[in-house]
Amino acid sequence: MRVPLSWLREYVDLPATETGRDVQAKLIDVGLEVETVERLGEGLKGPLVVGQVLTIEELEGFKKPIRFCTVDVGDANGTGEPQEIVCGARNFAVGDKVVVVLPGAVLPGDFKIAARKTYGKTSHGMICSGDELGMGDDGTHGIIVLPPEYEVGTDAIELLELVDEVLDIAVTPDRGYCLSMRGVARETATAYGLQLRDPALLDVPPPNAAGYPVQVSDPIGCDRFTARTVSGLEPEARSPIWLTRRLQKAGMRPVSLAVDITNYVMLELGQPLHAYDRATVDGPIGVRRATAGERLTTLDGTKRVLDAQDLVITDNRGPIGLAGVMGGANTEIAGAVTDPETGQLRGTTDVVIEAAHFDAISIARTARRHKLSSEAAKRFERGVDPEAASAAAQRTVDLLVLLGGGTAGEGVTEVVSPRGPRTLTIPADHPDKVAGVEYGRETVVRRLQQVGCDVYGQDELVVTVPSWRPDLSDPNDLAEEVIRLEGYENLPSTLPKPPAGRGLTERQRLHRRVGRVLAGAGYVEALNYPFTGSHVLDQLGIEPDDPRRSAVTLVNPLSDEEPDLRTTLIPGLLGALRRNYGRGSHDLALFETGPVFRATGDEKPASRLVVDRRPTDDEIASLDASLPQQPRRAAVVLTGAREQAGWWGEGRPAIWADAIEAGRAVAREAGVELIVRQDQHAPFHPGRCAALLALVDGEEVLVGNAGELHPRVIKAMALPERTCAMEIDLDRLERAGAGALKAPTISSFPVATQDVALIVDGGVPAADVEAALRDGAGELLESLRLFDVFTGEQTGAGKKSLAYALRFRAPDRTLTAEEATAARDAAVAVAVERTGAVLRG
């Protein structure tokens, strides 16, 4: 909400010396988020005056149209002679009143004006547009053409209110009343201890039978509807400068008199309004839910298919507006247009004013459903004062009569669903207990009355909440009001005393160790949002029956494109890799640890827990039963160079083996040695995909996959070529581990190394050969490493040679050559028996 300080002063008698910065500090003290104070016209220096165009000469021979004008500026130039100015704009004519800046002036942005020669003429100043003066968008993007009643030579700085301060307030969802000058003025008056001149205190005539007919079929969606009429508006009537300037300072674009007045009253009182061209409304105005499939073209020109939950405004033809969001194009206020045959101005002369109160949730859902965030919807979904509708309609009628020359209709329509004020009971010392400060009853009552509450009682206070504060629904809300007005800075600072704990669990320690080992291996942690969409799974080539398709869909997602909770960490990491690659980082290795979410279909509806006591074990168990599975995962993605080239030698690119090694490193932190086998698993390349297996209770269990991504996936997601990835299940690794890691025993005796090369069939997995060698070597085997794979004529057709380095060590003695050889032979014997291997050489 943009709040011009000059406008704010109309409702609160602020000291003349108070600046925007001073008001900002006061409003922050009472809890408003005033982000910036914009100083309009800073550095602006005259002379800047009203001028009248006397002559226009079109200059020929240039690439764009250029005009040489003489402008009467009165005595502002010191001579009284017409001012000669070169201008390229074409939206003004001889006789028009314009804004002229003369030599010696300085415009916003330190733009100094001086006489200069251009297009063969000397220009003594400029004819100004709104953009050049920092006024904002007026819809024309051209020269400012003023109404004819302003005298030549008038100071335009004062006339256009170019010097002002504007407070930009970030209004939180619970402070919807501050999306109006009335609401901000109330907070300002409270902060300064001054009286508020409430602009909603107007004399409003009672409803009568002569009002415009209105039929509300959904009193829950619309509990109040006020309709007023104004006839005889002058089509040529324009919004006065003071009105357009206030709209511009508040961030809105002037459109036409009727529309500008409804926007102005909305900004002033916080009540959204809508004006219908009475000539285009067919019959009574109605409020109902839409019929699924009904169509409506809104004011932005978009044809919309309505949902059965949309609340709509109708006439005899059907929908004429999305209630509380945007009006329809078929009843739009028509601008003034000259009839080519008669030369007369035509436009809207009779209007129907709507000031209604709609259900906040219904409006919010409609606005999101149609992706239509309007100023009206923004206010309704945060809560609008239902009691302000009549005053807002009256204020609109008064301004239309005053500025548009219209006549107010005698009829007043009020359709109201009866409802009483909201009343809360609160102990007088409740704010004291919440804040830890003794405020006392008098202070509590005084502060609640400043908010607008009616307060009765002594030790037990009966508080009637004002209509403009729908957020005050609990005693703690009232306590917060007292605390914020008394000043958060006055609360005592007390450090909490955490209870003694038992440190991290083994599960938490594993999670941290995994992060440290991956960071130590050169991976950078990337924290991604846990949201995704089915289109990402399509890009990854995930089959329809894949468990990763069993996603949990959010009822109220942040983005319609990502409505699901992630079932795998890889898409988020690939998105981060793609963004960084596009920004010039081509050697990337990223990792992430965290939960994924898998729906089982057995989840039960969540029960609503009580807040006045600790939930029972059964209630907590019921809540847990409503949650999906949330296994913890670790994943990496990498591309580009894994080792950089330099004076020390050539580098090497990242390959699928690096992804597998990342999985091994993670597993070792859980005390697990992985079994690696060839696999086919989306989104990996069929021939470069590994299954990562671990032994759980003696059985091989799949804990993850690693490898190079499929070329189709790389193309669909615009990833670098040969991108690799790995994902592993930490919960399964934890089950496969032997509990807490034990420090290895370090032997002081030397190692005995034996190499062995075995020839096996080409289809025999290296993991099977490695497992056989480990089992046969016995307890003396310290480590085993595959260092060469060879195929060729020497091995025979369909055969391959696997060369291993075996390291033997005893904890209590130096091994003899005979002992090391015997252990090696035993390992080879088991490999021969299980895999049909033949010792090479």
Side-chain angles (χ1 to χ4, degrees):
M1 175 71 185
R2 289 173 56 85
V3 179
L5 187 59
S6 60
W7 194 356
L8 185 63
R9 289 181 182 276
E10 283 198 5
Y11 313 118
V12 184
D13 288 327
L14 294 173
T17 57
E18 288 294 282
T19 66
R21 296 289 186 190
D22 298 329
V23 177
Q24 177 188 29
K26 285 284 189 179
L27 292 180
I28 289 175
D29 286 343
V30 296
L32 291 186
E33 297 181 18
V34 186
E35 295 186 329
T36 60
V37 177
E38 184 180 351
R39 304 172 72 91
L40 301 181
E42 189 172 22
L44 178 64
K45 177 183 174 184
L48 188 71
V49 298
V50 175
Q52 185 172 23
V53 180
L54 301 177
T55 65
I56 297 177
E57 177 188 351
E58 301 288 347
L59 301 182
E60 305 292 340
F62 300 102
K63 293 182 179 179
K64 61 180 181 178
I66 298 296
R67 309 167 106 187
F68 180 66
C69 310
T70 59
V71 185
D72 179 11
V73 294
D75 295 330
N77 57 5
T79 65
E81 297 294 326
Q83 200 79 0
E84 296 179 340
I85 298 175
V86 175
C87 184
R90 310 192 66 77
N91 68 313
F92 64 94
V94 172
D96 282 346
K97 298 288 182 65
V98 294
V99 178
V100 180
V101 58
L102 301 177
V106 180
L107 295 184
D110 198 28
F111 181 43
K112 297 178 181 179
I113 304 300
R116 65 189 185 96
K117 191 169 183 179
T118 180
Y119 297 103
K121 301 285 187 178
T122 300
S123 182
H124 299 273
M126 286 173 51
I127 300 175
C128 296
S129 67
D131 290 337
E132 291 165 338
L133 297 179
M135 293 174 58
D137 183 14
D138 62 357
T140 66
H141 300 290
I143 294 302
I144 301 170
V145 179
L146 300 171
E149 61 265 22
Y150 295 107
E151 294 184 6
V152 169
T154 301
D155 183 2
I157 295 179
E158 182 177 349
L159 174 67
L160 300 177
E161 302 177 16
L162 296 178
V163 179
D164 201 352
E165 293 182 279
V166 178
L167 285 72
D168 194 349
I169 303 176
V171 179
T172 52
D174 61 330
R175 296 289 182 86
Y177 66 98
C178 283
L179 286 171
S180 67
M181 294 299 302
R182 181 193 184 201
V184 176
R186 179 176 283 108
E187 293 294 323
T188 305
T190 301
Y192 278 91
L194 300 172
Q195 290 296 318
L196 168 70
R197 286 190 291 273
D198 191 344
L201 295 180
L202 301 174
D203 291 330
V204 180
N208 54 59
Y212 196 90
V214 173
Q215 300 170 352
V216 177
S217 302
D218 190 337
I220 295 177
C222 176
D223 57 11
R224 181 181 292 265
F225 196 106
T226 301
R228 300 288 298 276
T229 59
V230 178
S231 58
L233 292 174
E234 300 171 1
E236 69 274 11
R238 298 173 54 184
S239 300
I241 289 176
W242 65 266
L243 177 58
T244 60
R245 287 297 294 134
R246 285 188 172 180
L247 291 176
Q248 288 174 327
K249 292 176 186 178
M252 302 190 76
R253 180 174 65 86
V255 179
S256 64
L257 178 63
V259 175
D260 292 350
I261 287 175
T262 57
N263 286 336
Y264 177 83
V265 176
M266 178 185 68
L267 292 172
E268 184 179 52
L269 301 182
Q271 168 67 53
L273 301 111
H274 190 70
Y276 300 93
D277 187 335
R278 188 171 183 176
T280 61
V281 178
D282 182 9
I285 290 177
V287 183
R288 62 170 172 82
R289 297 289 173 175
T291 301
E294 277 189 301
R295 298 179 181 273
L296 170 68
T297 301
T298 46
L299 288 173
D300 59 356
T302 302
K303 295 181 180 179
R304 304 184 184 277
V305 178
L306 303 181
D307 186 89
Q309 295 300 313
D310 291 335
L311 195 65
V312 293
I313 309 298
T314 65
D315 63 5
N316 288 337
R317 298 165 298 177
I320 60 174
L322 271 177
V325 181
M326 185 174 286
N330 54 349
T331 57
E332 182 179 7
I333 299 296
V337 178
T338 302
D339 190 315
E341 296 182 0
T342 63
Q344 294 180 344
L345 279 177
R346 289 185 175 179
T348 298
T349 58
D350 301 336
V351 298
V352 180
I353 305 300
E354 166 207 308
H357 184 262
F358 300 110
D359 176 61
I361 295 177
S362 176
I363 300 305
R365 288 176 176 172
T366 296
R368 294 190 181 187
R369 188 180 298 118
H370 293 279
K371 298 181 176 62
L372 187 56
S373 179
S374 65
E375 291 292 330
K378 185 190 304 182
R379 286 163 172 80
F380 277 123
E381 66 187 20
R382 286 167 171 80
V384 169
D385 182 5
E387 302 296 330
S390 300
Q394 183 63 47
R395 177 71 165 143
T396 304
V397 169
D398 292 343
L399 289 174
L400 284 171
V401 171
L402 176 66
L403 303 178
T407 301
E410 295 181 359
V412 178
T413 302
E414 286 274 3
V415 180
V416 181
S417 297
R419 68 183 202 179
R422 187 168 61 257
T423 300
L424 302 175
T425 301
I426 175 176
D429 61 349
H430 182 65
D432 302 12
K433 294 178 180 178
V434 173
V437 177
E438 292 187 9
Y439 293 123
R441 178 189 177 280
E442 291 185 3
T443 299
V444 171
V445 171
R446 175 171 56 85
R447 289 304 190 185
L448 291 178
Q449 289 174 340
Q450 286 179 331
V451 171
C453 299
D454 290 331
V455 186
Y456 302 96
Q458 292 299 318
D459 295 338
E460 195 81 9
L461 301 180
V462 178
V463 182
T464 302
V465 176
S467 58
W468 59 83
R469 292 299 302 271
D471 58 301
L472 301 181
S473 59
D474 184 87
N476 286 328
D477 297 330
L478 300 179
E480 182 184 0
E481 293 299 299
V482 175
I483 295 168
R484 76 175 179 90
L485 294 181
E486 282 295 303
Y488 291 121
E489 69 278 4
N490 296 323
L491 295 178
S493 299
T494 305
L495 292 177
K497 297 180 180 179
R502 291 176 290 181
L504 300 177
T505 65
E506 182 57 33
R507 177 188 176 111
Q508 292 169 327
R509 290 193 183 97
L510 172 61
H511 194 92
R512 293 193 178 189
R513 289 200 305 271
V514 167
R516 283 196 295 267
V517 75
L518 290 175
Y523 292 87
V524 177
E525 186 171 16
L527 301 177
N528 299 295
Y529 287 116
F531 310 117
T532 186
S534 59
H535 67 283
V536 177
L537 300 180
D538 295 338
Q539 292 175 333
L540 293 177
I542 306 297
E543 296 295 333
D545 58 348
D546 193 290
R548 287 171 289 180
R549 290 281 186 177
S550 301
V552 178
T553 301
L554 300 175
V555 175
N556 191 19
L558 293 179
S559 169
D560 292 339
E561 295 183 357
E562 295 180 331
D564 302 331
L565 291 175
R566 66 189 179 192
T567 57
T568 168
L569 299 180
I570 289 180
L573 282 174
L574 292 179
L577 182 141
R578 182 175 59 245
R579 285 191 298 274
N580 283 274
Y581 192 88
R583 287 162 175 76
S585 299
H586 294 164
D587 303 323
L588 294 164
L590 308 177
F591 84 91
E592 183 176 11
T593 59
V596 298
F597 307 85
R598 296 285 181 88
T600 63
D602 298 329
E603 293 84 7
K604 300 177 181 178
S607 57
R608 191 178 184 88
L609 298 183
V610 296
V611 296
D612 58 343
R613 59 173 171 79
R614 181 189 181 279
T616 65
D617 292 342
D618 290 340
E619 289 172 333
I620 295 175
S622 174
L623 187 64
D624 288 340
S626 68
L627 300 176
Q629 293 182 355
Q630 300 179 49
R632 292 178 309 143
R633 297 289 182 87
V636 305
V637 294
L638 62 164
T639 190
R642 187 67 180 131
E643 294 179 3
Q644 296 289 342
W647 57 266
W648 52 84
E650 295 183 359
R652 69 170 183 84
I655 60 172
W656 54 269
D658 294 300
I660 295 175
E661 181 56 31
R664 292 183 187 274
V666 170
R668 282 194 290 268
E669 293 303 311
V672 176
E673 282 294 331
L674 290 180
I675 301 169
V676 180
R677 300 187 188 280
Q678 188 174 0
D679 195 10
Q680 292 190 17
H681 185 74
F684 298 102
H685 192 298
R688 297 169 187 160
C689 173
L692 307 180
L693 307 165
L695 290 177
V696 179
D697 298 331
E699 295 184 4
E700 292 186 359
V701 174
L702 180 70
V703 296
N705 288 92
E708 182 181 312
L709 296 183
H710 198 289
R712 284 198 297 267
V713 174
I714 289 176
K715 182 178 180 180
M717 302 190 73
L719 298 170
E721 293 183 1
R722 313 302 291 271
T723 297
C724 301
M726 180 279 298
E727 185 171 22
I728 196 167
D729 192 313
L730 297 180
D731 291 340
R732 292 182 182 177
L733 281 180
E734 188 178 10
R735 290 196 297 271
L741 287 181
K742 296 181 180 179
T745 302
I746 306 299
S747 174
S748 60
F749 294 94
V751 67
T753 302
Q754 295 275 350
D755 292 345
V756 59
L758 301 174
I759 298 176
V760 296
D761 291 337
V764 174
D768 290 350
V769 178
E770 181 178 328
L773 290 173
R774 285 184 182 277
D775 292 344
E779 296 181 354
L780 294 179
L781 180 67
E782 183 179 79
S783 66
L784 173 68
R785 179 174 63 89
L786 174 66
F787 66 86
D788 184 53
V789 178
F790 175 75
T791 57
E793 295 180 0
Q794 297 89 330
T795 62
K799 302 288 186 179
K800 62 183 177 182
S801 172
L802 304 177
Y804 291 90
L806 289 75
R807 291 167 57 90
F808 299 98
R809 195 195 309 256
D812 56 350
R813 68 188 187 280
T814 299
L815 292 177
T816 64
E818 291 78 11
E819 288 177 310
T821 301
R824 183 201 66 180
D825 292 343
V828 171
V830 174
V832 169
E833 179 183 353
R834 290 186 185 177
T835 66
V838 176
L839 185 64
R840 184 178 176 187

